[in-house]
């Protein structure tokens, strides 16, 4: 029976960096007396200044709707819902990836709902950070600080990692202060853990505890191989099973956030399943790892590239994939417009095809993720009857319904800004404006809903 997975608590700090380990001699020895004593100290002295502590504060807003059966007792002037704010403070970790521009990578859940983000360096300096962007589905966020004399960590190619490579984790477990632990890469391509939407984790036994979220996992050369994100263990304690987001995913996501302010997710346009030995045998493949293609969507990137149902996708850009979950995570984080080469097995023969990834259709989302006043609605991009964001579902007892939104409404503008898709709406609501003037297309009519 699978033990419960615990997200690394933002109440304690932690950093971990992992990557393909170099030979043992890569751990530079330090001279002690007349003997060379193997030590990781020279490597750590170079990289620990790039691992930062993150402290956040904010207010969590909760809404409690008054049940209909109690309204009689409180009278008609009783508000439909009670709104309360609860202040909170939390801690996490981060990794400086660009010293000149002050970019810091961390987990999205570390800075979630934070009104103020502080970054503390190893040398004692503290700075207020600006959130550049985040991707909740992969749990990555990018911050920026304005500071001189920063140290950045170089990213490794996480696709070169092997099980058994040495890994070092740096962080601030339980708020104790910067702490270094060591271990190995225990497994690669872990998915199906239901921690994130897109999972392709590095598993390590380097000791990671609550508070390590956003920390670094590195190899013996001091290169970043992953961002620590979750642990498997009772009560958030370490039992030697930790998970990190691979550095290649971190690189792809951070580059998109820097360029666009958001992640523009790539899409292949298939549905599939994990490759089993029976499926491999049935479809003439000698490979036991890969992704089985159940269906190819008409007009998709996969369709245009000639991929067919029944194909087995075995590699991306020459790098073998282990599962459909790994394929899904890698494609989703590569970015729209990127061209990749997929290795496939069809009728027992190996082929390769070039695919240019389309931008993923904005999937249906809960509006509460965009603005509290929209809680209770589900939104999706539409072009029918007009380009905008459709209200596909709405809870009649929700704050969104109280604003006047109805199922079938199409949001075509916010505060005089045109909205053609969910990405436009997300951008318009990014700074949580105090007043929302939603331009709504309802049937043949156009109207404004003003939300304060």
């Amino acid at each position: 029976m699978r033990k419960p997975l615990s997200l690394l608590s933002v109440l304690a700090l932690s950093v971990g960096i992992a990557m393909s380990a170099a030979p043992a001699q890569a751990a530079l020895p330090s001279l002690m007396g007349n003997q060379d004593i193997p030590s990781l100290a020279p490597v750590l002295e170079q990289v620990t200044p790039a691992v930062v502590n993150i402290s956040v504060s904010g207010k969590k807003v909760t809404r409690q709707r008054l049940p209909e059966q109690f309204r009689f007792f409180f009278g008609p002037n009783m508000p439909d819902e009670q709104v309360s704010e609860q202040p909170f403070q939390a801690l996490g970790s981060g990794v400086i990836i660009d010293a000149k521009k002050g970019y810091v990578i961390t987990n999205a859940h570390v800075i979630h709902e934070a009104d103020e983000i502080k970054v503390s360096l190893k040398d004692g300096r503290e700075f207020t950070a600006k959130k550049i962007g985040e991707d909740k589905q992969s749990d990555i966020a990018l911050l920026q600080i304005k500071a001189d004399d920063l140290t950045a960590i170089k990213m490794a190619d996480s696709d070169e990692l092997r099980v058994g490579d040495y890994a070092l984790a740096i962080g601030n477990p339980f708020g104790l202060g910067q702490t270094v632990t060591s271990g190995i890469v225990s497994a690669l391509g872990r998915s199906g853990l239901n921690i994130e939407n897109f999972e392709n984790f590095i598993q390590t036994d380097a000791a990671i505890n609550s508070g390590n979220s956003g920390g670094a996992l590195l190899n013996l050369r001091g290169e970043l191989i992953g961002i620590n994100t979750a642990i498997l263990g009772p009560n958030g304690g370490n039992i030697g099973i930790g998970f990190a987001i691979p550095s290649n995913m971190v690189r792809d996501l951070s580059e998109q956030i820097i360029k666009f302010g958001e992640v523009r997710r790539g899409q292949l346009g298939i549905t599939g399943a994990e490759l089993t030995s029976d499926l491999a045998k049935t479809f003439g493949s000698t490979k036991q790892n890969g992704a089985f293609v159940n269906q190819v969507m008409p007009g998709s990137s996969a369709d245009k590239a000639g991929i067919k149902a029944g194909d087995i996708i075995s590699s991306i850009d020459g790098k073998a994939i282990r599962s459909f979950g790994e394929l899904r995570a890698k494609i989703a984080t590569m970015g729209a417009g990127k061209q990749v080469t997929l290795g496939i097995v069809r009728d027992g023969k190996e082929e390769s095809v070039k695919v240019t990834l389309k931008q993923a259709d904005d999937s249906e989302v809960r509006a509460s993720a965009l603005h509290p006043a929209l809680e209770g609605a589900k939104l999706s991009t539409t072009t029918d009857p007009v380009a905008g964001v459709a209200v596909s579902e709405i809870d009649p007892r929700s704050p969104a319904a109280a604003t006047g939104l109805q199922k079938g409404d199409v949001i075509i503008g916010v505060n005089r800004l045109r909205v053609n898709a969910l990405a436009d709406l997300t951008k318009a609501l990014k700074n949580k404006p105090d007043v929302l003037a939603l331009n709504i297309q309802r049937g043949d009519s156009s109207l404004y809903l003003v939300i304060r």
Side-chain angles (χ1 to χ4, degrees):
M1 185 176 187
R2 180 178 289 167
K3 296 181 180 179
L5 282 157
S6 300
L7 276 181
L8 293 181
S9 171
V10 296
L11 299 180
L13 307 176
S14 164
V15 181
I17 310 176
M19 163 183 175
S20 57
Q25 61 265 31
L28 303 178
S30 60
L31 189 64
M32 183 176 290
N34 294 323
Q35 297 180 339
D36 288 340
I37 306 299
S39 174
L40 296 172
V43 173
L44 293 172
E45 287 170 357
Q46 298 297 316
V47 299
T48 50
V51 180
V52 303
N53 295 341
I54 296 175
S55 60
V56 302
S57 60
K59 293 181 180 179
K60 290 185 178 180
V61 178
T62 58
R63 287 178 167 82
Q64 186 173 9
R65 193 169 181 82
L66 184 68
E68 293 292 339
Q69 58 267 35
F70 294 127
R71 292 183 185 277
F72 173 79
F73 298 100
F74 293 99
N77 295 326
M78 186 67 183
D80 288 341
E81 63 177 4
Q82 299 296 316
V83 180
S84 61
E85 294 182 343
Q86 183 66 40
F88 73 90
Q89 293 182 327
L91 302 174
S93 298
V95 181
I96 300 172
I97 59 171
D98 189 319
K100 291 184 178 179
K101 297 183 178 179
Y103 288 136
V104 178
I105 279 286
T106 186
N107 285 137
H109 76 261
V110 169
I111 52 90
H112 182 57
E113 295 185 335
D115 296 324
E116 185 177 58
I117 305 170
K118 295 287 188 180
V119 170
S120 300
L121 307 184
K122 186 182 179 183
D123 61 15
R125 289 182 292 166
E126 183 178 88
F127 302 92
T128 298
K130 174 185 177 183
K131 185 177 77 171
I132 302 300
E134 63 180 318
D135 182 38
K136 295 177 182 177
Q137 295 189 74
S138 57
D139 203 6
I140 284 294
L142 182 70
L143 310 177
Q144 186 176 34
I145 58 175
K146 293 184 178 180
D148 298 323
D149 300 322
L150 296 177
T151 298
I153 287 181
K154 179 183 177 181
M155 288 195 194
D157 182 355
S158 55
D159 285 338
E160 297 296 329
L161 280 172
R162 298 174 300 168
V163 173
D165 285 346
Y166 288 108
L168 305 174
I170 310 174
N172 183 14
F174 303 109
L176 291 173
Q178 194 173 87
T179 302
V180 180
T181 58
S182 65
I184 63 170
V185 173
S186 305
L188 295 166
R190 288 294 196 209
S191 61
L193 304 177
N194 298 319
I195 301 172
E196 299 167 1
N197 198 351
F198 300 107
E199 298 181 345
N200 179 31
F201 289 118
I202 300 165
Q203 181 181 326
T204 181
D205 66 346
I208 297 172
N209 290 281
S210 293
N212 283 16
S213 289
L217 186 67
L218 36 99
N219 60 17
L220 294 187
R221 289 189 290 270
E223 298 167 321
L224 185 71
I225 56 171
I227 295 294
N228 293 327
T229 299
I231 55 177
L232 178 64
N235 304 317
N238 171 61
I239 59 171
I241 303 177
F243 301 99
I245 301 169
S247 58
N248 285 1
M249 286 181 63
V250 173
R251 180 188 292 110
D252 288 339
L253 292 167
S254 60
E255 287 177 352
Q256 293 176 58
I257 293 173
I258 291 169
K259 186 174 182 180
F260 305 113
E262 63 181 357
V263 171
R264 298 189 176 179
R265 209 172 303 286
Q267 187 178 59
L268 191 55
I270 65 171
T271 61
E274 305 299 346
L275 182 66
T276 64
S277 57
D278 289 339
L279 271 177
K281 183 177 180 181
T282 300
F283 286 86
S285 174
T286 59
K287 297 181 180 295
Q288 298 301 310
N289 294 317
F292 181 76
V293 180
N294 285 335
Q295 181 182 10
V296 178
M297 305 304 175
S300 66
S301 299
D303 184 30
K304 292 181 178 180
I307 296 174
K308 300 178 180 179
D311 286 348
I312 296 168
I313 301 176
S314 58
S315 65
I316 301 177
D317 290 335
K319 306 291 178 62
I321 60 169
R322 302 165 188 80
S323 64
F324 185 81
E326 181 179 357
L327 171 70
R328 180 173 177 268
K330 286 188 172 182
I331 291 295
T333 55
M334 280 181 169
K338 188 167 185 178
Q339 186 179 79
V340 297
T341 300
L342 299 180
I344 64 172
V345 178
R346 178 181 298 165
D347 299 326
K349 298 179 181 179
E350 296 188 20
E351 304 178 24
S352 63
V353 295
K354 291 186 181 296
V355 183
T356 300
L357 302 178
K358 287 186 175 182
Q359 183 166 348
D361 295 330
D362 289 308
S363 57
E364 188 175 62
V365 300
R366 294 188 179 276
S368 58
L370 303 179
H371 196 283
L374 301 180
E375 182 179 351
K378 284 188 177 181
L379 307 176
S380 57
T381 296
T382 186
T383 57
D384 183 24
V386 64
V389 175
V391 180
S392 53
E393 287 185 26
I394 192 163
D395 183 344
R397 299 168 298 177
S398 67
T403 67
L405 276 176
Q406 299 178 12
K407 182 177 179 180
D409 284 350
V410 179
I411 302 172
I412 58 175
V414 177
N415 295 356
R416 300 173 63 188
L417 297 176
R418 184 67 174 92
V419 170
N420 294 303
L422 264 176
D424 299 328
L425 183 61
T426 301
K427 185 177 181 180
L429 301 182
K430 184 176 180 180
N431 295 323
K432 299 290 189 296
D434 295 330
V435 177
L436 298 184
L438 301 181
N439 190 4
I440 303 295
Q441 185 72 33
R442 181 177 294 167
D444 295 330
S445 301
S446 178
L447 60 122
Y448 272 94
L449 296 179
V450 179
I451 304 170
R452 293 181 174 84

